[in-house]
Amino acid sequence: MMAQYLSLKAEAQDCLLFYRMGDFFEMFFDDAKIAAACLDIALTARGEHGGQAIPMCGVPVHAAENYLARLIKAGHRVAIAEQTETPAEAKKRGGSKALVARGIVRVVTAGTLTEEALLDARAANWCVAIGEAGGGVALAAADVSTGRFELIETSAANLATELARLGPAETIAAEDSAFADMATSLRPKSGFDSTRGKARLRDLYGVATLDGFGQFDRAALAAAGGLVAYLDHTAKGALPFLRPPVLRQSAGAMAIDAATRDSLELTCTTAGARKGSLLDAVDRTVTGAGARALAADLGAPLVDRQEIEARLDLVQLLCEDGGLRESLRATLRALPDIGRALGRIAAGRGSPRDLGQLRDGLNGAWSLGEKLGGIERPPALLADLAPRLRGHGALIDLFTRALIPMPPVDASDGGYIAAGYDAALDDLRDAGAGGRRAIAALEADYRSRTGIVALKIKHNGVLGYHIEVAARVADTLMAPDSGFTHRQTLAGVVRFNAPELHEVAVKVSQAGAHALAAEASHLEDLTHAALARREAIAATADALARLDASAGLAERACEGGWVRPTLVDHACFDIAGGRHPVVEDALAKRGDRFVANDCRLSEDSRLWLVTGPNMGGKSTFLRQNALIAVLAQAGAYVPATSATLGLVDRLFSRVGASDNLARGRSTFMVEMVETAAILAQATPRSFVILDEVGRGTSTYDGLAIAWAVVEAIHEDNRCRCLFATHYHELTRLAERCDALTLHHVRAREWKGDLVLLHEVSEGPADRSYGLAVARLAGLSPATLSRAKAVLAKLEAGRAKTGGIAAGLDDLPLFAAARIEEAPPADTLREALAAIDTDALTPREALEQLYRLKGLL
């Protein structure tokens, strides 16, 4: 047995091996030590290997999913080794001592899960491959739980941004990939060949050409080939359901890099929790599929105005028609997740319950489609979605006739095919039921004949049907002429058989076995019927998800008094009464009111310099406007009184920072890296929020950097920007930068206490309130008194010298200051260039060498 185990472990490589032994999955050696520590289960030993006891632990097969979930969450990969033959087949093959054959039937990884218990119903589960070819780079992304398959053509510079958008559970790359540090595991280079990838896709979809799916570049084909090869490896040949690939371009969505996503907490907080994120504050969906669609929308806001308007039109209809919205949400709430049920069926891990979910989901979708199809002058998106909900009548009828109302998860016990669907199956069931009635009659007869009132006929997996009596009365049945045959003696009971019971038991067993075989055959046929329409079923699942996401957004808009944004083609950003959805929710729970603020960026005022005290609301103001841009382009209403926006191509946020010790970066280094990325990538259509740039270093360095960054954004990037700072010296730039305007968050001191008004007003802050904020924070009176004395000294010195910004008024602007400096003279290079090497004698060459060394 250990030889078989070690052979399978060698095949599993770095995966933990679940080795099936009867009703348990066993683990040995280091796998056992790792699993026992991770799962908090007992570590025991079994036999010896190399003179050492073999560590062992195990988990029950019926509870394996729960243990798998914990191992996958801890970052492990698990290979499942199942018995590939029955003990009877093994005995027939090799005699009574033959070992049951086993093989790895599946490798369970974070990105290839389909089990309901292992997945978050409200989040997509992406497995992503990075492909490189022809100087390009692309991503192939699949959510095997629903069959979604996307090919994303991008660039090396935008690769991290796309990965941040997807948030994959697993990322793979070739062993020699330039992006190996972004992958969770590396695979053989041969799997990422673009020619093989093209052939794999053609074979997968049974087509002669991929032109019908789109024009894929070599990098996209390499990524697709690597991903399909990996999925085939983990599924051991039973490739999961993948819908035809959808080609996406990076330019098709608002570019949001990883730092900005973390800063704005779009789909999860910086602590990794969903609660407290924008998604949590907005999500009012009633289905898992709808929640996944909403998360995808917020993660990749659109840049096509027509597509955004189409989404907004549907949200507006559902906002204005409350009855339709409530009816739609009530219907959706009752529907199962047919997308993931289909994924399990296609992966070969489906159950009768999954088929029942398809039946119920498609039936509900049909009714919903009939209702929505009757709406007069529907929005374009609704007119496109409604027909996708219908068209499954034959499949619904088949499943309704074939399946019981509540099919079980486990098919092994049968009972899921409805009565009346198959007359032969009904006859087998009747035969089995008749046999069971005959057994009950035999039990009564045996009691009468023997006089043993407690005599019972029981069944187990070893003896089958047998007679059981208490040991104290067993002598009667032990008599040679009793007609009973002794089978087993246990503590307190004795078990027997009888010819009549054996005959009836054989009939019952045969009828039951034939009935189970008939049901299994029907299950296979029903599964094939579902898979034959998997594309149409997946389209229906997508339509239901889009309806749920739109209805949820409409519900949130009505709940919060949000408004439809007006989208324009020029670069403006005009928000009246804007609010931060997450902060507003948190304040409402405490009974407090959020202070709304306007933000009016235009060509003449595209860069706002915002000053004011800490805790005054600068960061909240910056973030709320960035989130309004995300919501608007995701097709949602926004928390404001009115909103008019020009489309944003790239969104950047540098708000707050922390050390990145793993990459050897200090807080200030992280800040500078992020700021450099903004200056390098922001365009006139971008939206940028910057908070306290330069605060991580000395005052002079920080002011110099902040000054230069403001000028660069104003003169070079020319994007819409909100720049919050405590460097009041920067306000001087308003006199020299035409599109820069000054604003501040209001605060007042009242009877020695600081009152933060959280209102944004025009003009610079009248003064700093640092000491007042320190008092609010609880700094001791003695420390505050000393700070006041030091501040008085500093301010007196600033009055005499002109402050740290003295002399900056004469400094030319950023664009004017960029004068090309003449490169320093390179005498060594010039001397080398002047030498005619072919004309030199050996002596002259030696002299020249000495001369060059002298120049060096």
Side-chain angles (χ1 to χ4, degrees):
M1 187 202 78
M2 290 311 301
Q4 185 188 66
Y5 171 84
L6 292 172
S7 173
L8 291 171
K9 177 59 185 173
E11 183 183 343
Q13 298 178 342
D14 60 342
C15 299
L16 301 180
L17 180 62
F18 269 29
Y19 182 81
R20 178 73 178 265
M21 293 179 65
D23 292 332
F24 279 79
F25 283 120
E26 303 288 4
M27 287 157 280
F28 301 96
F29 300 104
D30 289 343
D31 285 7
K33 295 177 182 178
I34 294 169
C38 182
L39 302 175
D40 193 24
I41 57 178
L43 181 67
T44 60
R46 175 193 178 110
E48 291 187 354
H49 182 76
Q52 299 290 324
I54 301 173
M56 183 186 83
C57 68
V59 299
V61 171
H62 68 84
E65 281 192 358
N66 294 328
Y67 292 105
L68 273 174
R70 292 165 63 182
L71 289 171
I72 297 302
K73 189 174 182 180
H76 298 293
R77 302 162 72 234
V78 181
I80 307 293
E82 284 280 7
Q83 297 174 180
T84 56
E85 62 180 357
T86 66
E89 289 171 337
K91 185 176 180 180
K92 184 177 180 180
R93 171 177 54 81
S96 59
K97 294 185 179 181
L99 183 66
V100 175
R102 293 175 176 85
I104 296 177
V105 298
R106 181 188 173 201
V107 177
V108 184
T109 69
T112 59
L113 301 174
T114 57
E115 288 84 354
E116 199 169 5
L118 305 185
L119 291 168
D120 180 353
R122 304 184 74 80
N125 195 63
W126 290 108
C127 183
V128 173
I130 303 172
E132 304 152 79
V137 61
L139 296 174
D143 182 350
V144 300
S145 69
T146 59
R148 289 179 63 189
F149 188 17
E150 296 182 2
L151 298 182
I152 303 132
E153 295 178 355
T154 182
S155 64
N158 288 332
L159 186 63
T161 296
E162 288 298 327
L163 285 172
R165 173 182 71 83
L166 291 166
E170 192 172 6
T171 304
I172 62 168
E175 290 169 333
D176 63 343
S177 171
F179 308 99
D181 60 328
M182 297 183 182
T184 55
S185 61
L186 300 178
R187 301 291 302 160
K189 180 182 177 181
S190 59
F192 291 81
D193 180 79
S194 60
T195 303
R196 289 185 183 179
K198 187 174 185 179
R200 280 184 183 275
L201 290 182
R202 285 201 303 254
D203 292 343
L204 179 61
Y205 298 106
V207 295
T209 176
L210 299 177
D211 292 347
F213 302 139
Q215 296 298 317
F216 306 128
D217 65 16
R218 287 183 57 205
L221 293 172
L227 181 61
V228 173
Y230 180 66
L231 295 178
D232 191 49
H233 162 73
T234 58
K236 296 300 174 184
L239 194 67
F241 168 48
L242 291 179
R243 299 164 66 180
V246 176
L247 180 63
R248 301 196 187 281
Q249 304 284 348
S250 291
M254 181 193 293
I256 309 174
D257 61 27
T260 300
R261 290 178 189 277
D262 289 344
S263 170
L264 297 178
E265 300 181 312
L266 296 182
T267 56
C268 65
T269 65
T270 51
R274 190 178 192 272
K275 187 172 181 59
S277 66
L278 174 66
L279 176 60
D280 180 60
V282 172
D283 189 2
R284 297 297 183 272
T285 57
V286 295
T287 69
R292 298 194 296 270
L294 178 61
D297 292 347
L298 295 179
L302 301 170
V303 293
D304 185 291
R305 182 177 170 185
Q306 186 175 353
E307 288 185 59
I308 300 170
E309 297 284 10
R311 288 186 184 178
L312 288 171
D313 288 343
L314 180 53
V315 175
Q316 181 174 344
L317 169 68
L318 296 171
C319 274
E320 294 172 349
D321 192 335
L324 174 62
R325 183 177 73 252
E326 286 305 313
S327 173
L328 173 60
R329 283 165 59 80
T331 300
L332 290 170
R333 189 179 284 111
L335 297 183
D337 193 337
I338 61 174
R340 284 198 163 164
L342 179 63
R344 290 189 292 273
I345 292 169
R349 292 186 280 276
S351 68
R353 189 181 72 168
D354 291 320
L355 292 176
Q357 288 184 341
L358 288 189
R359 174 198 60 199
D360 299 339
L362 294 175
N363 190 41
W366 179 283
S367 301
L368 194 58
E370 290 291 300
K371 182 175 182 178
L372 296 177
I375 296 176
E376 293 184 11
R377 295 187 296 277
L381 183 54
L382 182 59
D384 178 56
L385 294 175
R388 301 188 203 175
L389 302 176
R390 302 190 294 269
H392 304 289
L395 193 63
I396 295 169
D397 176 66
L398 172 62
F399 285 0
T400 301
R401 290 185 293 106
L403 297 169
I404 63 174
M406 296 290 290
V409 175
D410 188 1
S412 61
D413 293 331
Y416 47 85
I417 298 297
Y421 178 69
D422 179 357
L425 175 59
D426 291 343
D427 291 341
L428 289 171
R429 287 173 171 170
D430 289 341
R436 285 188 290 274
R437 287 193 295 271
I439 287 173
L442 271 177
E443 183 180 73
D445 181 54
Y446 290 154
R447 285 177 182 173
S448 174
R449 285 163 49 187
T450 62
I452 302 173
V453 178
L455 179 148
K456 293 181 180 178
I457 294 179
K458 292 187 175 182
H459 182 275
N460 65 31
V462 177
L463 299 180
Y465 284 100
H466 59 273
I467 302 156
E468 183 176 286
V469 298
R472 66 179 183 274
V473 296
D475 290 346
T476 304
L477 278 65
M478 285 284 194
D481 57 349
S482 66
F484 296 94
T485 305
H486 176 254
R487 295 296 306 276
Q488 191 176 42
T489 298
L490 301 175
V493 298
V494 182
R495 291 169 175 170
F496 299 87
N497 200 354
E500 306 97 314
L501 178 59
H502 177 71
E503 291 176 8
V504 175
V506 168
K507 293 178 181 178
V508 171
S509 299
Q510 288 179 345
H514 292 159
L516 285 176
E519 289 202 67
S521 177
H522 287 310
L523 180 63
E524 188 174 338
D525 292 342
L526 295 173
T527 298
H528 288 157
L531 293 179
R533 291 193 54 79
R534 57 189 178 186
E535 300 296 339
I537 294 172
T540 298
D542 287 348
L544 292 171
R546 175 55 54 200
L547 287 170
D548 187 25
S550 299
L553 289 174
E555 181 75 11
R556 185 65 182 91
C558 294
E559 178 186 300
W562 295 9
V563 298
R564 174 172 178 161
T566 300
L567 303 177
V568 295
D569 293 325
H570 57 283
C572 75
F573 196 87
D574 192 343
I575 308 296
R579 311 186 297 279
H580 192 300
V582 180
V583 177
E584 185 178 30
D585 278 1
L587 290 175
K589 290 175 182 176
R590 302 203 306 258
D592 296 330
R593 182 180 64 87
F594 186 92
V595 179
N597 282 296
D598 299 345
C599 181
R600 303 183 185 280
L601 300 175
S602 62
E603 186 58 35
D604 297 331
S605 178
R606 52 182 158 78
L607 174 55
W608 278 25
L609 196 66
V610 185
T611 54
N614 282 313
M615 295 179 64
K618 298 191 301 296
S619 295
T620 299
F621 175 69
L622 267 59
R623 283 188 171 101
Q624 76 186 35
N625 287 292
L627 294 182
I628 285 172
V630 169
L631 286 169
Q633 290 186 218
Y637 277 33
V638 299
T641 304
S642 67
T644 302
L645 297 86
L647 293 179
V648 174
D649 65 347
R650 304 183 72 94
L651 179 65
F652 294 99
S653 169
R654 220 235 58 79
V655 180
S658 59
D659 293 336
N660 189 335
L661 300 180
R663 301 185 67 177
R665 292 177 177 176
S666 67
T667 300
F668 181 65
M669 183 62 174
V670 171
E671 176 185 341
M672 289 298 98
V673 168
E674 293 174 3
T675 303
I678 293 170
L679 296 181
Q681 300 175 46
T683 73
R685 294 182 60 209
S686 299
F687 188 82
V688 176
I689 60 172
L690 292 163
D691 191 14
E692 305 296 348
V693 169
R695 65 181 169 184
T697 187
S698 72
T699 303
Y700 285 98
D701 283 355
L703 174 59
I705 291 169
W707 187 288
V709 169
V710 170
E711 286 191 343
I713 287 177
H714 184 275
E715 297 297 315
D716 271 5
N717 300 103
R718 305 183 69 82
C719 56
R720 291 159 287 180
C721 177
L722 301 176
F723 192 108
T725 185
H726 278 106
Y727 292 126
H728 289 268
E729 293 79 4
L730 294 179
T731 58
R732 297 187 184 185
L733 284 167
E735 302 169 6
R736 311 162 64 188
C737 299
D738 296 337
L740 184 150
T741 56
L742 303 179
H743 303 265
H744 69 281
V745 290
R746 295 181 59 207
R748 290 288 181 269
E749 283 195 273
W750 175 255
K751 296 181 179 181
D753 291 328
L754 178 66
V755 180
L756 301 169
L757 302 177
H758 304 295
E759 295 176 2
V760 178
S761 299
E762 293 185 358
D766 53 355
R767 63 187 182 86
S768 175
Y769 292 90
L771 294 183
V773 173
R775 183 186 298 112
L776 279 179
L779 223 60
S780 69
T783 306
L784 286 170
S785 178
R786 179 60 176 165
K788 283 182 180 179
V790 173
L791 178 62
K793 273 283 191 183
L794 292 173
E795 289 183 336
R798 182 172 63 181
K800 291 179 182 178
T801 63
I804 64 172
L808 289 180
D809 290 335
D810 298 329
L811 186 69
L813 278 174
F814 185 82
R818 285 181 300 164
I819 301 170
E820 290 292 331
E821 296 182 7
D826 191 342
T827 54
L828 184 61
R829 186 180 297 275
E830 291 171 359
L832 279 169
I835 295 174
D836 183 358
T837 53
D838 292 331
L840 291 178
T841 66
R843 182 180 181 82
E844 289 171 338
L846 186 61
E847 289 174 352
Q848 289 286 6
L849 183 60
Y850 278 113
R851 186 171 73 87
L852 293 173
K853 190 168 183 181
L855 288 174
L856 180 62

